Amino acid sequence: SLGDNAEKIFGEGSLAYNLEVDESTSMWVGTLSDVSAESGYWLVVDESASLQVQGLPTAPVHYSTHTGNNLLSYSYSDPQSIDGALSGTDANDFTQAIYGEGVMAASTDDGWVGGLTGFEGGSGYWFVAAEPFQFEYNVPDPGALFSVHVLPAVPEELKFVQSSNQYFY
């Protein structure tokens, strides 16, 4: 539904690119041909837009990771804190860091620290695994009130364009 506004979609180790054939025709090319409930994706658009994704509920989803970076979906529509989503799972024990769009959380001896405080439905996250593990997110507590930390608005003179090349130091 985004038409030519959608430039490309990144998956873990795959890409689909919206190639303009002529002024009225475009086609998707690349190694990413399907989406799955287990995977996370990064959609790059020319201009801000909303995309409503429809389908059957997927939660709970069973995830299998490998050592290093894993782009994973968040399988629930209700947001929840990192501790709420991962406590008691192998993900909590073997994940070194989690990256979202412009935010990250690092696992320390004192728990999760950083700008990423929780997971939101419809979002994907990079999990940095110290070793392979399998897990399912904990089911969100429907009575719990949690909202993902919202970063403050950036003043006009400090505005920037989010890069598709993210690094955190």
Side-chain angles (χ1 to χ4, degrees), residues 56-80:
L56 298 173
T58 59
V61 173
H62 186 79
Y63 299 90
S64 294
T65 67
H66 53 81
T67 301
N69 297 323
N70 298 266
L71 185 52
L72 306 177
S73 65
Y74 173 66
S75 57
Y76 292 98
S77 58
D78 293 328
Q80 65 177 320

Side-chain angles (χ1 to χ4, degrees), residues 130-143:
E131 61 183 72
F133 62 87
Q134 297 180 347
F135 82 105
E136 291 179 8
Y137 290 103
N138 295 323
V139 178
D141 180 1

Side-chain angles (χ1 to χ4, degrees), residues 108-143:
T108 69
D109 292 339
D110 296 324
W112 292 98
V113 297
L116 178 66
T117 58
F119 302 106
E120 293 182 86
S123 294
Y125 298 90
W126 286 100
F127 280 61
V128 182
E131 61 183 72
F133 62 87
Q134 297 180 347
F135 82 105
E136 291 179 8
Y137 290 103
N138 295 323
V139 178
D141 180 1

Side-chain angles (χ1 to χ4, degrees), residues 1-167:
S1 67
L2 295 174
D4 291 340
N5 189 29
E7 286 185 20
K8 51 192 150 200
I9 303 171
F10 291 95
E12 182 184 335
S14 61
L15 169 75
Y17 180 77
N18 193 0
L19 179 66
E20 183 178 329
V21 177
D22 58 43
E23 288 184 25
S24 62
T25 310
S26 63
M27 60 188 255
W28 288 95
V29 296
T31 57
L32 179 63
S33 59
D34 297 308
V35 295
S36 73
E38 298 85 16
S39 299
Y41 301 94
W42 192 339
L43 172 65
V44 178
V45 294
D46 285 326
E47 298 175 15
S48 294
S50 294
L51 174 65
Q52 183 173 354
V53 179
Q54 298 178 357
L56 298 173
T58 59
V61 173
H62 186 79
Y63 299 90
S64 294
T65 67
H66 53 81
T67 301
N69 297 323
N70 298 266
L71 185 52
L72 306 177
S73 65
Y74 173 66
S75 57
Y76 292 98
S77 58
D78 293 328
Q80 65 177 320
S81 68
I82 294 173
D83 285 332
L86 302 181
S87 66
T89 70
D90 284 346
N92 197 52
D93 298 332
F94 300 118
T95 301
Q96 297 172 317
I98 303 170
Y99 298 92
E101 185 178 355
V103 292
M104 67 90 61
S107 179
T108 69
D109 292 339
D110 296 324
W112 292 98
V113 297
L116 178 66
T117 58
F119 302 106
E120 293 182 86
S123 294
Y125 298 90
W126 286 100
F127 280 61
V128 182
E131 61 183 72
F133 62 87
Q134 297 180 347
F135 82 105
E136 291 179 8
Y137 290 103
N138 295 323
V139 178
D141 180 1
L145 296 176
F146 174 79
S147 63
V148 175
H149 176 70
V150 177
L151 298 175
V154 177
E156 189 62 37
E157 61 272 9
L158 299 176
K159 288 229 179 216
F160 59 91
V161 176
Q162 177 69 40
S163 170
S164 60
N165 301 307
Q166 290 192 49
Y167 298 96

